[in-house]
PDB file of all heavy atoms in Angstrom:
ATOM      1  N   THR U1327       0.678  22.371  25.116  1.00 92.00           N
ATOM      2  CA  THR U1327      -0.219  22.415  26.242  1.00 92.00           C
ATOM      3  C   THR U1327      -1.257  23.345  26.065  1.00 92.00           C
ATOM      4  O   THR U1327      -1.289  24.238  25.223  1.00 92.00           O
ATOM      5  CB  THR U1327       0.591  22.727  27.499  1.00 92.00           C
ATOM      6  OG1 THR U1327       1.008  24.185  27.460  1.00 92.00           O
ATOM      7  CG2 THR U1327       1.864  21.873  27.723  1.00 92.00           C
ATOM      8  N   ALA U1328      -2.326  23.185  26.950  1.00 92.00           N
ATOM      9  CA  ALA U1328      -3.440  24.240  26.919  1.00 92.00           C
ATOM     10  C   ALA U1328      -2.930  25.687  27.162  1.00 92.00           C
ATOM     11  O   ALA U1328      -3.653  26.591  26.740  1.00 92.00           O
ATOM     12  CB  ALA U1328      -4.546  23.859  27.833  1.00 92.00           C
ATOM     13  N   GLU U1329      -1.948  25.752  27.806  1.00 92.00           N
ATOM     14  CA  GLU U1329      -1.432  27.126  28.141  1.00 92.00           C
ATOM     15  C   GLU U1329      -0.559  27.721  26.966  1.00 92.00           C
ATOM     16  O   GLU U1329      -0.534  28.919  26.772  1.00 92.00           O
ATOM     17  CB  GLU U1329      -0.603  27.192  29.405  1.00 92.00           C
ATOM     18  CG  GLU U1329      -1.369  26.788  30.705  1.00 92.00           C
ATOM     19  CD  GLU U1329      -0.520  26.803  31.801  1.00 92.00           C
ATOM     20  OE1 GLU U1329       0.703  26.775  31.842  1.00 92.00           O
ATOM     21  OE2 GLU U1329      -1.111  26.900  33.133  1.00 92.00           O
ATOM     22  N   SER U1330       0.131  26.904  26.201  1.00 93.00           N
ATOM     23  CA  SER U1330       1.026  27.385  25.250  1.00 93.00           C
ATOM     24  C   SER U1330       0.491  27.326  23.916  1.00 93.00           C
ATOM     25  O   SER U1330       1.056  28.002  22.941  1.00 93.00           O
ATOM     26  CB  SER U1330       2.300  26.639  25.316  1.00 93.00           C
ATOM     27  OG  SER U1330       2.013  25.158  24.983  1.00 93.00           O
ATOM     28  N   TYR U1331      -0.623  26.516  23.645  1.00 96.00           N
ATOM     29  CA  TYR U1331      -1.130  26.356  22.291  1.00 96.00           C
ATOM     30  C   TYR U1331      -2.135  27.382  21.981  1.00 96.00           C
ATOM     31  O   TYR U1331      -3.187  27.557  22.514  1.00 96.00           O
ATOM     32  CB  TYR U1331      -1.724  24.970  22.124  1.00 96.00           C
ATOM     33  CG  TYR U1331      -2.030  24.580  20.671  1.00 96.00           C
ATOM     34  CD1 TYR U1331      -1.048  24.611  19.756  1.00 96.00           C
ATOM     35  CD2 TYR U1331      -3.467  24.264  20.386  1.00 96.00           C
ATOM     36  CE1 TYR U1331      -1.450  24.269  18.462  1.00 96.00           C
ATOM     37  CE2 TYR U1331      -3.727  23.885  19.107  1.00 96.00           C
ATOM     38  CZ  TYR U1331      -2.815  23.968  18.073  1.00 96.00           C
ATOM     39  OH  TYR U1331      -3.188  23.601  16.845  1.00 96.00           O
ATOM     40  N   PHE U1332      -1.764  28.284  20.922  1.00 96.00           N
ATOM     41  CA  PHE U1332      -2.566  29.458  20.617  1.00 96.00           C
ATOM     42  C   PHE U1332      -2.662  29.655  19.041  1.00 96.00           C
ATOM     43  O   PHE U1332      -2.178  30.597  18.616  1.00 96.00           O
ATOM     44  CB  PHE U1332      -2.035  30.712  21.435  1.00 96.00           C
ATOM     45  CG  PHE U1332      -2.992  31.775  21.249  1.00 96.00           C
ATOM     46  CD1 PHE U1332      -4.136  31.879  22.134  1.00 96.00           C
ATOM     47  CD2 PHE U1332      -2.850  32.931  20.420  1.00 96.00           C
ATOM     48  CE1 PHE U1332      -5.043  32.992  22.155  1.00 96.00           C
ATOM     49  CE2 PHE U1332      -3.659  34.131  20.464  1.00 96.00           C
ATOM     50  CZ  PHE U1332      -4.663  34.059  21.330  1.00 96.00           C
ATOM     51  N   PRO U1333      -3.290  28.804  18.337  1.00 97.00           N
ATOM     52  CA  PRO U1333      -3.327  28.913  16.908  1.00 97.00           C
ATOM     53  C   PRO U1333      -4.315  29.997  16.434  1.00 97.00           C
ATOM     54  O   PRO U1333      -5.354  30.243  17.192  1.00 97.00           O
ATOM     55  CB  PRO U1333      -3.841  27.558  16.416  1.00 97.00           C
ATOM     56  CG  PRO U1333      -4.638  27.065  17.634  1.00 97.00           C
ATOM     57  CD  PRO U1333      -3.946  27.636  18.785  1.00 97.00           C
ATOM     58  N   GLN U1334      -4.041  30.705  15.359  1.00 97.00           N
ATOM     59  CA  GLN U1334      -4.899  31.834  14.840  1.00 97.00           C
ATOM     60  C   GLN U1334      -5.044  31.685  13.393  1.00 97.00           C
ATOM     61  O   GLN U1334      -4.052  31.559  12.600  1.00 97.00           O
ATOM     62  CB  GLN U1334      -4.449  33.193  15.301  1.00 97.00           C
ATOM     63  CG  GLN U1334      -4.474  33.463  16.763  1.00 97.00           C
ATOM     64  CD  GLN U1334      -5.860  33.739  17.220  1.00 97.00           C
ATOM     65  OE1 GLN U1334      -6.553  34.656  16.641  1.00 97.00           O
ATOM     66  NE2 GLN U1334      -6.438  33.083  18.163  1.00 97.00           N
ATOM     67  N   TYR U1335      -6.255  31.727  12.975  1.00 97.00           N
ATOM     68  CA  TYR U1335      -6.568  31.684  11.541  1.00 97.00           C
ATOM     69  C   TYR U1335      -6.720  33.129  10.961  1.00 97.00           C
ATOM     70  O   TYR U1335      -7.368  33.932  11.544  1.00 97.00           O
ATOM     71  CB  TYR U1335      -7.899  30.942  11.244  1.00 97.00           C
ATOM     72  CG  TYR U1335      -8.344  30.924   9.772  1.00 97.00           C
ATOM     73  CD1 TYR U1335      -7.682  30.001   8.857  1.00 97.00           C
ATOM     74  CD2 TYR U1335      -9.240  31.810   9.241  1.00 97.00           C
ATOM     75  CE1 TYR U1335      -8.168  30.101   7.495  1.00 97.00           C
ATOM     76  CE2 TYR U1335      -9.738  31.739   7.968  1.00 97.00           C
ATOM     77  CZ  TYR U1335      -9.066  30.943   7.076  1.00 97.00           C
ATOM     78  OH  TYR U1335      -9.496  30.880   5.762  1.00 97.00           O
ATOM     79  N   SER U1336      -6.035  33.427   9.743  1.00 97.00           N
ATOM     80  CA  SER U1336      -6.142  34.734   9.089  1.00 97.00           C
ATOM     81  C   SER U1336      -7.041  34.543   7.908  1.00 97.00           C
ATOM     82  O   SER U1336      -6.769  33.796   6.950  1.00 97.00           O
ATOM     83  CB  SER U1336      -4.766  35.131   8.629  1.00 97.00           C
ATOM     84  OG  SER U1336      -4.776  36.372   7.878  1.00 97.00           O
ATOM     85  N   TRP U1337      -8.127  35.387   7.822  1.00 96.00           N
ATOM     86  CA  TRP U1337      -8.894  35.390   6.651  1.00 96.00           C
ATOM     87  C   TRP U1337      -8.260  36.104   5.482  1.00 96.00           C
ATOM     88  O   TRP U1337      -8.633  35.888   4.285  1.00 96.00           O
ATOM     89  CB  TRP U1337     -10.278  36.155   6.975  1.00 96.00           C
ATOM     90  CG  TRP U1337     -11.217  35.389   7.743  1.00 96.00           C
ATOM     91  CD1 TRP U1337     -11.195  35.327   9.220  1.00 96.00           C
ATOM     92  CD2 TRP U1337     -12.144  34.373   7.387  1.00 96.00           C
ATOM     93  NE1 TRP U1337     -12.120  34.433   9.676  1.00 96.00           N
ATOM     94  CE2 TRP U1337     -12.718  33.757   8.539  1.00 96.00           C
ATOM     95  CE3 TRP U1337     -12.635  34.010   6.199  1.00 96.00           C
ATOM     96  CZ2 TRP U1337     -13.791  32.926   8.526  1.00 96.00           C
ATOM     97  CZ3 TRP U1337     -13.758  33.108   6.121  1.00 96.00           C
ATOM     98  CH2 TRP U1337     -14.255  32.551   7.169  1.00 96.00           C
ATOM     99  N   TYR U1338      -7.151  36.936   5.667  1.00 96.00           N
ATOM    100  CA  TYR U1338      -6.590  37.695   4.744  1.00 96.00           C
ATOM    101  C   TYR U1338      -5.785  36.797   3.819  1.00 96.00           C
ATOM    102  O   TYR U1338      -5.788  36.924   2.598  1.00 96.00           O
ATOM    103  CB  TYR U1338      -5.708  38.782   5.345  1.00 96.00           C
ATOM    104  CG  TYR U1338      -6.405  39.782   6.054  1.00 96.00           C
ATOM    105  CD1 TYR U1338      -6.600  39.741   7.571  1.00 96.00           C
ATOM    106  CD2 TYR U1338      -7.120  40.771   5.369  1.00 96.00           C
ATOM    107  CE1 TYR U1338      -7.223  40.688   8.170  1.00 96.00           C
ATOM    108  CE2 TYR U1338      -7.938  41.759   6.271  1.00 96.00           C
ATOM    109  CZ  TYR U1338      -8.038  41.661   7.539  1.00 96.00           C
ATOM    110  OH  TYR U1338      -8.670  42.676   8.210  1.00 96.00           O
ATOM    111  N   VAL U1339      -5.137  35.797   4.446  1.00 95.00           N
ATOM    112  CA  VAL U1339      -4.335  34.968   3.661  1.00 95.00           C
ATOM    113  C   VAL U1339      -4.738  33.499   3.618  1.00 95.00           C
ATOM    114  O   VAL U1339      -4.099  32.536   3.060  1.00 95.00           O
ATOM    115  CB  VAL U1339      -2.736  34.856   4.224  1.00 95.00           C
ATOM    116  CG1 VAL U1339      -2.121  36.297   4.003  1.00 95.00           C
ATOM    117  CG2 VAL U1339      -2.803  34.547   5.668  1.00 95.00           C
ATOM    118  N   ASP U1340      -5.981  33.270   4.243  1.00 94.00           N
ATOM    119  CA  ASP U1340      -6.535  31.866   4.279  1.00 94.00           C
ATOM    120  C   ASP U1340      -5.517  30.871   4.794  1.00 94.00           C
ATOM    121  O   ASP U1340      -5.378  29.814   4.201  1.00 94.00           O
ATOM    122  CB  ASP U1340      -7.020  31.471   2.914  1.00 94.00           C
ATOM    123  CG  ASP U1340      -7.936  30.238   2.854  1.00 94.00           C
ATOM    124  OD1 ASP U1340      -8.533  30.008   3.972  1.00 94.00           O
ATOM    125  OD2 ASP U1340      -8.009  29.577   1.828  1.00 94.00           O
ATOM    126  N   GLU U1341      -5.031  31.150   5.892  1.00 95.00           N
ATOM    127  CA  GLU U1341      -3.983  30.306   6.596  1.00 95.00           C
ATOM    128  C   GLU U1341      -3.918  30.385   8.048  1.00 95.00           C
ATOM    129  O   GLU U1341      -4.257  31.458   8.587  1.00 95.00           O
ATOM    130  CB  GLU U1341      -2.596  30.717   6.001  1.00 95.00           C
ATOM    131  CG  GLU U1341      -1.437  29.745   6.518  1.00 95.00           C
ATOM    132  CD  GLU U1341      -0.075  30.159   5.920  1.00 95.00           C
ATOM    133  OE1 GLU U1341      -0.066  31.090   5.141  1.00 95.00           O
ATOM    134  OE2 GLU U1341       0.913  29.634   6.418  1.00 95.00           O
ATOM    135  N   THR U1342      -3.755  29.278   8.698  1.00 96.00           N
ATOM    136  CA  THR U1342      -3.669  29.186  10.189  1.00 96.00           C
ATOM    137  C   THR U1342      -2.162  29.307  10.584  1.00 96.00           C
ATOM    138  O   THR U1342      -1.327  28.481  10.073  1.00 96.00           O
ATOM    139  CB  THR U1342      -4.298  27.961  10.726  1.00 96.00           C
ATOM    140  OG1 THR U1342      -5.625  27.901  10.318  1.00 96.00           O
ATOM    141  CG2 THR U1342      -4.305  27.953  12.255  1.00 96.00           C
ATOM    142  N   PHE U1343      -1.954  30.060  11.648  1.00 96.00           N
ATOM    143  CA  PHE U1343      -0.558  30.348  12.145  1.00 96.00           C
ATOM    144  C   PHE U1343      -0.594  29.676  13.588  1.00 96.00           C
ATOM    145  O   PHE U1343      -1.559  29.826  14.319  1.00 96.00           O
ATOM    146  CB  PHE U1343      -0.093  31.675  12.144  1.00 96.00           C
ATOM    147  CG  PHE U1343      -0.184  32.358  10.844  1.00 96.00           C
ATOM    148  CD1 PHE U1343      -1.285  32.988  10.242  1.00 96.00           C
ATOM    149  CD2 PHE U1343       0.997  32.299  10.047  1.00 96.00           C
ATOM    150  CE1 PHE U1343      -1.224  33.485   9.022  1.00 96.00           C
ATOM    151  CE2 PHE U1343       1.081  32.842   8.728  1.00 96.00           C
ATOM    152  CZ  PHE U1343      -0.133  33.480   8.294  1.00 96.00           C
ATOM    153  N   GLY U1344       0.539  29.124  13.885  1.00 96.00           N
ATOM    154  CA  GLY U1344       0.685  28.529  15.175  1.00 96.00           C
ATOM    155  C   GLY U1344       0.100  27.166  15.426  1.00 96.00           C
ATOM    156  O   GLY U1344      -0.068  26.679  16.575  1.00 96.00           O
ATOM    157  N   VAL U1345      -0.383  26.513  14.349  1.00 97.00           N
ATOM    158  CA  VAL U1345      -1.053  25.256  14.413  1.00 97.00           C
ATOM    159  C   VAL U1345      -0.053  24.161  14.279  1.00 97.00           C
ATOM    160  O   VAL U1345       0.928  24.242  13.580  1.00 97.00           O
ATOM    161  CB  VAL U1345      -2.230  25.142  13.278  1.00 97.00           C
ATOM    162  CG1 VAL U1345      -1.606  25.134  11.941  1.00 97.00           C
ATOM    163  CG2 VAL U1345      -3.058  23.954  13.505  1.00 97.00           C
ATOM    164  N   SER U1346      -0.361  22.997  14.975  1.00 97.00           N
ATOM    165  CA  SER U1346       0.423  21.720  14.845  1.00 97.00           C
ATOM    166  C   SER U1346      -0.486  20.663  14.994  1.00 97.00           C
ATOM    167  O   SER U1346      -1.508  20.635  15.530  1.00 97.00           O
ATOM    168  CB  SER U1346       1.631  21.808  15.841  1.00 97.00           C
ATOM    169  OG  SER U1346       1.061  21.606  17.156  1.00 97.00           O
ATOM    170  N   ILE U1347       0.021  19.463  14.445  1.00 97.00           N
ATOM    171  CA  ILE U1347      -0.768  18.280  14.552  1.00 97.00           C
ATOM    172  C   ILE U1347      -0.797  17.813  16.042  1.00 97.00           C
ATOM    173  O   ILE U1347      -2.027  17.425  16.518  1.00 97.00           O
ATOM    174  CB  ILE U1347      -0.148  17.163  13.713  1.00 97.00           C
ATOM    175  CG1 ILE U1347      -0.150  17.457  12.256  1.00 97.00           C
ATOM    176  CG2 ILE U1347      -0.959  15.773  13.927  1.00 97.00           C
ATOM    177  CD1 ILE U1347       0.642  16.582  11.365  1.00 97.00           C
ATOM    178  N   VAL U1348       0.204  17.855  16.671  1.00 97.00           N
ATOM    179  CA  VAL U1348       0.242  17.360  18.104  1.00 97.00           C
ATOM    180  C   VAL U1348      -0.689  18.354  18.939  1.00 97.00           C
ATOM    181  O   VAL U1348      -1.394  17.909  19.879  1.00 97.00           O
ATOM    182  CB  VAL U1348       1.724  17.402  18.617  1.00 97.00           C
ATOM    183  CG1 VAL U1348       1.696  17.334  20.101  1.00 97.00           C
ATOM    184  CG2 VAL U1348       2.492  16.273  18.013  1.00 97.00           C
ATOM    185  N   GLY U1349      -0.677  19.633  18.552  1.00 97.00           N
ATOM    186  CA  GLY U1349      -1.470  20.592  19.346  1.00 97.00           C
ATOM    187  C   GLY U1349      -2.932  20.360  19.106  1.00 97.00           C
ATOM    188  O   GLY U1349      -3.779  20.263  20.075  1.00 97.00           O
ATOM    189  N   GLU U1350      -3.408  20.136  17.901  1.00 97.00           N
ATOM    190  CA  GLU U1350      -4.755  19.939  17.566  1.00 97.00           C
ATOM    191  C   GLU U1350      -5.266  18.581  18.196  1.00 97.00           C
ATOM    192  O   GLU U1350      -6.429  18.495  18.673  1.00 97.00           O
ATOM    193  CB  GLU U1350      -5.049  19.917  15.964  1.00 97.00           C
ATOM    194  CG  GLU U1350      -4.944  21.218  15.330  1.00 97.00           C
ATOM    195  CD  GLU U1350      -6.001  22.136  15.901  1.00 97.00           C
ATOM    196  OE1 GLU U1350      -7.193  21.804  15.630  1.00 97.00           O
ATOM    197  OE2 GLU U1350      -5.680  23.159  16.495  1.00 97.00           O
ATOM    198  N   LEU U1351      -4.434  17.582  18.128  1.00 98.00           N
ATOM    199  CA  LEU U1351      -4.983  16.305  18.729  1.00 98.00           C
ATOM    200  C   LEU U1351      -4.660  16.151  20.155  1.00 98.00           C
ATOM    201  O   LEU U1351      -5.526  15.826  21.008  1.00 98.00           O
ATOM    202  CB  LEU U1351      -4.210  15.073  18.038  1.00 98.00           C
ATOM    203  CG  LEU U1351      -4.659  14.706  16.515  1.00 98.00           C
ATOM    204  CD1 LEU U1351      -4.653  15.772  15.595  1.00 98.00           C
ATOM    205  CD2 LEU U1351      -3.853  13.397  16.174  1.00 98.00           C
ATOM    206  N   GLY U1352      -3.516  16.769  20.632  1.00 97.00           N
ATOM    207  CA  GLY U1352      -3.117  16.450  22.076  1.00 97.00           C
ATOM    208  C   GLY U1352      -3.748  17.191  22.966  1.00 97.00           C
ATOM    209  O   GLY U1352      -4.231  16.871  24.098  1.00 97.00           O
TER     210      GLY U1352
END
Side-chain angles (χ1 to χ4, degrees):
T1327 67
E1329 293 181 345
S1330 65
Y1331 189 57
F1332 194 74
Q1334 288 290 302
Y1335 176 80
S1336 171
W1337 288 89
Y1338 297 102
V1339 295
D1340 190 26
E1341 183 179 351
T1342 304
F1343 298 91
V1345 63
S1346 71
I1347 299 173
V1348 169
E1350 285 298 297
L1351 279 62

